[in-house]
Amino acid sequence: AAVTFKDVVVPAENLIYKENKGFIPLMTNFNRERFIICCNLVNMCKVCVDESIDWAQERKTFGKRLIEHQVIKHKIANMSRKTLACQSFLERVAYQMKYDP
C-alpha cells in the first residue's frame, strides 16, 4: 500500500530539520543502521567459526576426529581469515565514522 500526501502544510515549529534538507540526516541515520547490522553479522560469523571448531573436535570420521583432517583445518582457517578481514574492515569504518564523518 502507498500513502500519498497532497497539499500538506507543516508548521515551521514542527519541522525536524531545515526545510528541504531532511534527506541528509535521514541518510546519516541509515548509514549508522547499516554499520550496526554489519557488526551483528560479523559477530554471527565468529559464532559460526567457533561452532564449526567445536563440531570438528567432537565428530569422528575414518577413525579420527574431523579436526585432524587437513582439508577441515584449511576450511576453518579460511572461515577465520574471512571473518577477521571483515572485522578489521569494520574497525576501520568505525574509526572513520568517529574521526572523519
Side-chain angles (χ1 to χ4, degrees):
V3 177
T4 305
F5 297 101
K6 293 182 180 179
D7 300 324
V8 175
V9 177
V10 177
E13 63 270 6
N14 292 342
L15 289 176
I16 296 173
Y17 199 69
K18 299 173 189 166
E19 187 173 0
N20 295 324
K21 302 290 182 189
F23 186 72
I24 295 168
L26 178 68
M27 291 311 297
T28 301
N29 191 41
F30 282 160
N31 286 339
R32 290 185 187 126
E33 289 174 3
R34 290 181 187 120
F35 176 75
I36 291 169
I37 290 169
C38 290
C39 289
N40 288 332
L41 292 174
V42 168
N43 193 35
M44 289 308 298
C45 287
K46 290 180 181 180
V47 170
C48 289
V49 169
D50 291 342
E51 290 291 323
S52 298
I53 292 170
D54 290 344
W55 174 250
Q57 290 175 340
E58 180 182 316
R59 174 93 167 122
K60 288 189 175 184
T61 58
F62 303 108
K64 57 183 179 179
R65 292 180 304 147
L66 198 58
I67 195 79
E68 295 171 3
H69 295 282
Q70 188 174 13
V71 69
I72 301 302
K73 288 180 183 180
H74 283 263
K75 288 183 182 225
I76 290 175
N78 196 29
M79 289 169 53
S80 298
R81 178 184 57 83
K82 289 179 179 180
T83 301
L84 185 60
C86 289
Q87 181 177 354
S88 177
F89 179 74
L90 277 178
E91 288 175 3
R92 180 180 171 147
V93 170
Y95 180 86
Q96 289 175 340
M97 286 174 67
K98 183 173 183 179
Y99 296 109
D100 189 22

